[in-house]
Amino acid sequence: MTETQAQTHDEPHRGGLGTRLNWLRAAVLGANDGVVSTAGLVVGVAGATDDRSTLLTAGLAGLLAGSLSMAAGEYVSVSTQRDSEKAALVTEERELEETPEAELAELTGLLEEKGLSNELAREAAVQLTQRDALRAHAEVELGIDPDELTNPWHAAGASFLAFTVGALLPLLAIVLPPPSARLPVTVLSVLAALALTGWGSARLGGAPAGRAVLRNMTGGAVAMAVTYAAGALLGAARA
C-alpha cells in the first residue's frame, strides 16, 4: 500500500467519524422538528386569522420557544452524559491503580471477544496498557474517547441553530405570500422540506429512503391538518 493510499484509508477514522455522523443526524432531526412544530403553529393560527402581523408574532414566538427549549433540553441531556463519562473514567482510573492485573485480564478478555486469540489478545492488552492504560480501557471497555467527551454547549448550540433553520421555512412561507396563496405555499414548502429531512435521516441511518420520506411527510401533513382545523374552529367560535 502506498503512502497516499494509507493516508486515504486512514482519513475516515480521524476526527471521530461516528461522532460527526451523530451530530449531523441530530442537526437533521432538529431541523425537522423546527419545520413540523412551527408549521403546525402558523397553519393553526392561519385557520383562525389571515392577519400577517398575528401570523408573524405567533411564528416568531414559536421559533424562539422551540429553539430555546431544544437547546436547553440538549444541554441538560448532554451534560448528564458527560458527567457519566467522567465518572466512568474516574472509576476506571482508580481500578487501574488498585487492581492492575485484574484490569489487564479484563482487557485481554474484551479483546478476545473481538476475535483475537488468547495469546494475541494478551500481547495486545499488555502493549495497550504500557502505552496508555486508561485510554485503552476507556475505548475498548467503555466506548469512550477521553479526548472527545461530549460537549453540552456544542450540543445546545447545534440544536438551537438546527431548529431555527427549520422553523424559518414555514414562518417565511406563511407571511411573505399574499393571503390567498399563504396556505398552499406553506403546505407545499413544508412537505418538500420534510421530504428532504426524511431522505437525509434515512441516508444517515442506512435505512430505505422511501418509507422515511413518506412517514415524515404524512406526519407533517396530519399535524398541519389538525392544527388548521382547530384554528378554524376557534376562529369561527370567536366570530
Side-chain angles (χ1 to χ4, degrees):
M1 182 181 292
T2 66
E3 183 177 350
T4 301
Q5 289 173 324
Q7 289 174 350
T8 303
H9 179 74
D10 289 341
E11 234 172 285
H13 302 284
R14 293 182 186 148
L17 178 60
T19 300
R20 292 200 301 273
L21 287 176
N22 285 336
W23 281 113
L24 186 55
R25 186 178 294 111
V28 170
L29 295 176
N32 188 81
D33 287 344
V35 171
V36 174
S37 61
T38 307
L41 175 62
V42 297
V43 168
V45 174
T49 179
D50 61 357
D51 182 67
R52 177 173 278 138
S53 62
T54 301
L55 292 170
L56 179 60
T57 300
L60 285 174
L63 183 154
L64 288 173
S67 58
L68 290 172
S69 175
M70 287 282 292
E74 195 70 13
Y75 178 83
V76 171
S77 174
V78 174
S79 292
T80 301
Q81 179 183 343
R82 185 182 179 90
D83 290 343
S84 298
E85 291 173 344
K86 285 183 174 180
L89 290 173
V90 169
T91 299
E92 196 63 41
E93 189 172 21
R94 185 180 68 249
E95 291 175 348
L96 285 167
E97 292 177 357
E98 295 176 353
T99 57
E101 286 301 320
E103 289 299 302
L104 180 61
E106 182 182 30
L107 182 59
T108 300
L110 291 170
L111 292 173
E112 278 189 88
E113 291 176 4
K114 292 181 179 294
L116 299 181
S117 66
N118 179 265
E119 181 180 350
L120 185 56
R122 176 75 179 185
E123 181 182 350
V126 169
Q127 291 187 16
L128 289 170
T129 299
Q130 290 174 345
R131 181 179 301 173
D132 190 333
L134 180 59
R135 172 177 290 279
H137 280 267
E139 294 182 346
V140 177
E141 180 182 347
L142 304 176
I144 298 174
D145 185 343
D147 293 333
E148 291 190 11
L149 297 182
T150 51
N151 189 313
W153 289 108
H154 290 171
S159 293
F160 181 92
L161 182 60
F163 188 97
T164 299
V165 169
L168 280 173
L169 185 139
L171 175 59
L172 295 175
I174 203 74
V175 299
L176 292 181
S180 60
R182 282 175 187 163
L183 275 178
V185 167
T186 301
V187 170
L188 290 175
S189 299
V190 167
L191 292 179
L194 292 178
L196 181 61
T197 56
W199 178 85
S201 61
R203 293 289 294 174
L204 290 170
R211 185 178 301 173
V213 168
L214 180 61
R215 184 170 55 235
N216 223 28
M217 294 176 68
T218 301
V222 169
M224 288 187 288
V226 170
T227 54
Y228 180 79
L233 288 173
L234 291 173
R238 186 180 60 182

